[in-house]
Amino acid sequence: MTTSTRVHNFCAGPCTLPVSVLEEVRDEMLDFGGTGMSIVEASHRADAYDAVHMGALADFRELASVPDEFTVLFLQGGASLQFGQVPMNLLAPDETAGYVDTGTWGGKALSEARLVADVYEAWSGAEGSFTRVPTADEIHVRDGAGFVHLASNETIGGIRFPDFPELGIPLVADMSSDFLSRPIDWGRFDLVYGGAQKNLGPAGLAVVVVRTDLLGRSGRDLVSYLDYRTHASADSMANTPPMFPIYVMGKVLAWMKAAGGLGEFQRRAARRADLVYGAIDGSDGWYRSPVDVASRSHMNIVFRLPDEDLEQRFVAEAAAAGLVNLKGHRSVGGIRASVYNAMPVESVETLVGFMADFRSANA
Ligand SMILES: *Cc1c(COP(=O)(O)O)cnc(C)c1O
């Protein structure tokens, strides 16, 4: 099979993966490494899987330059389970933490955390319709707060923290939609987490990186699966791990290492973002970005057209031209182009060309 049948997939997640990774998976599907079976048919206690699993843990650590004092965990339940699991593990029932509400995901993290801990809203972007991230001095840090939680990138609103606020207390970040798209300054964080299905691989896997000395910090009796210590003491193989997503993510991590690492992916992301925002800004206001320039996401680029009819036609005609999943999230409307780590710049150039043609035909 050739790749010519493949579309340009701008889906917000799950999303496009490197073709070379998909080809390797295909080639190994009937016989993984001479075992006579695929990896999804193997025992998770088999040597073949053990090498895949430990390799993925090691590659994540190396690629993200995770320091020795952090533990990397592979968990199920997506980023959504972490909204509750983080406070369960880091906060005693009477302790507090601040949550920055920058939109859908920052807000969800806060409302879920409230179910298990006495957390508070440290800033809300609601007044500005979630079109920017706050500055450090806008974020309220309460005396005794354990951490401040934020979403590094809001997948639906299309905003991100270009740098992380210096608050004098540790940060905890949901990095789901820009995970490993830029280097991480680990000194600022107690914990970061994200679902794999935006930047790193298939759905079904969350990666949590936590300071090892915080394990057991909350003193709570938790269901074993919810206690990070269960997974930390077993290399994330305390129970059957999500083998297939870990296997595919391992290949994506190897592909990222070979391509040059996080600095290279940061450059690629900036290039893709410059192309699309350039097309928006160069359209004399015909295409319009609703978000604050300094907060513009490099992963999820949202924009509007002069009216909703045109937006519907834009999505339909783009799909007919092989550019799919450009419809904005139903909660905000408009157009959203998600351009994650594996999105080739050629696909973005094709999109920008389509934007120019569509404008000429309709302006
Ligand atoms: C997609 C997403 C989530 C939800 O992830 P699940 O793995 O589906 O639970 C949470 N936070 C952010 C920033 C996301 O982009």
Side-chain angles (χ1 to χ4, degrees):
M1 195 194 109
T2 66
T3 55
S4 64
T5 54
R6 284 179 61 80
V7 292
H8 305 284
N9 181 9
F10 293 92
C11 192
C15 59
T16 204
L17 290 173
V19 170
S20 63
V21 166
L22 300 174
E23 286 172 340
E24 277 180 42
V25 171
R26 174 197 64 195
D27 292 347
E28 291 173 350
M29 197 40 90
L30 296 186
D31 180 5
F32 175 81
T35 58
M37 64 178 85
S38 67
I39 199 76
V40 287
E41 299 165 293
S43 164
H44 63 293
R45 305 291 176 200
D47 290 346
Y49 180 72
D50 192 70
V52 165
H53 187 97
M54 298 311 286
L57 279 171
D59 279 348
F60 187 98
R61 186 176 279 282
E62 187 189 329
L63 189 64
S65 304
V66 179
D68 288 345
E69 59 269 26
F70 286 80
T71 299
V72 179
L73 304 174
F74 292 164
L75 302 177
Q76 302 190 54
S80 295
L81 184 57
Q82 294 312 309
F83 295 158
Q85 200 169 356
V86 166
M88 280 181 203
N89 279 270
L90 298 191
L91 297 174
D94 61 342
E95 289 178 323
T96 193
Y99 276 66
V100 177
D101 181 3
T102 42
T104 306
W105 296 114
K108 204 143 190 200
L110 170 61
S111 58
E112 289 291 297
R114 275 186 170 139
L115 298 172
V116 297
D118 183 24
V119 299
Y120 69 93
E121 182 183 272
W123 183 78
S124 169
E127 214 171 283
S129 305
F130 301 110
T131 51
R132 68 175 182 92
V133 298
T135 57
D137 56 343
E138 290 177 304
I139 297 172
H140 177 52
V141 179
R142 257 190 216 168
D143 277 351
F147 59 81
V148 165
H149 178 283
L150 50 81
S152 55
N153 183 78
E154 282 285 353
T155 321
I156 292 173
I159 58 175
R160 69 158 188 165
F161 282 89
D163 331 279
F164 293 101
E166 203 57 84
L167 300 175
I169 67 168
L171 301 176
V172 168
D174 172 6
M175 295 194 169
S176 295
S177 55
D178 67 352
F179 224 2
L180 306 198
S181 68
R182 46 178 160 167
I184 298 171
D185 177 2
W186 291 99
R188 313 287 305 283
F189 297 96
D190 268 359
L191 184 151
V192 310
Y193 64 94
Q197 71 273 20
K198 274 98 184 202
N199 260 332
L200 301 180
L205 168 66
V207 181
V208 175
V209 187
V210 55
R211 260 179 214 281
T212 307
D213 64 6
L214 296 176
L215 296 172
R217 164 91 189 40
S218 74
R220 303 189 197 209
D221 288 326
L222 298 172
V223 169
S224 301
Y225 193 93
L226 295 179
D227 191 325
Y228 290 143
R229 288 176 296 185
T230 302
H231 308 282
S233 62
D235 291 322
S236 299
M237 277 198 272
N239 70 329
T240 318
M243 295 166 66
F244 188 72
I246 289 171
Y247 158 73
V248 180
M249 182 181 73
K251 290 187 181 300
V252 174
L253 297 174
W255 171 81
M256 289 178 70
K257 263 172 57 176
L262 297 195
E264 171 63 16
F265 282 88
Q266 184 174 33
R267 276 189 292 280
R268 289 186 189 185
R271 169 100 185 103
R272 289 186 295 256
D274 283 350
L275 280 168
V276 184
Y277 289 117
I280 295 167
D281 294 341
S283 73
D284 293 325
W286 203 73
Y287 294 112
R288 208 161 29 81
S289 161
V291 309
D292 186 69
V293 171
S295 299
R296 285 175 167 182
S297 171
H298 283 193
M299 296 283 121
N300 310 99
I301 301 171
V302 298
F303 55 96
R304 306 299 309 238
L305 272 65
D307 64 55
E308 287 183 15
D309 263 9
L310 280 169
E311 287 173 348
Q312 275 183 20
R313 283 192 29 227
F314 180 96
V315 170
E317 289 181 26
L323 299 146
V324 305
N325 290 320
L326 283 162
K327 192 169 165 13
H329 191 268
R330 59 187 181 281
S331 62
V332 292
I335 310 294
R336 172 175 54 171
S338 294
V339 289
Y340 296 118
N341 281 346
M343 176 61 71
V345 73
E346 294 75 21
S347 291
V348 176
E349 287 164 350
T350 306
L351 171 63
V352 164
F354 175 83
M355 288 170 71
D357 292 347
F358 189 83
R359 180 179 157 221
S360 305
N362 293 286

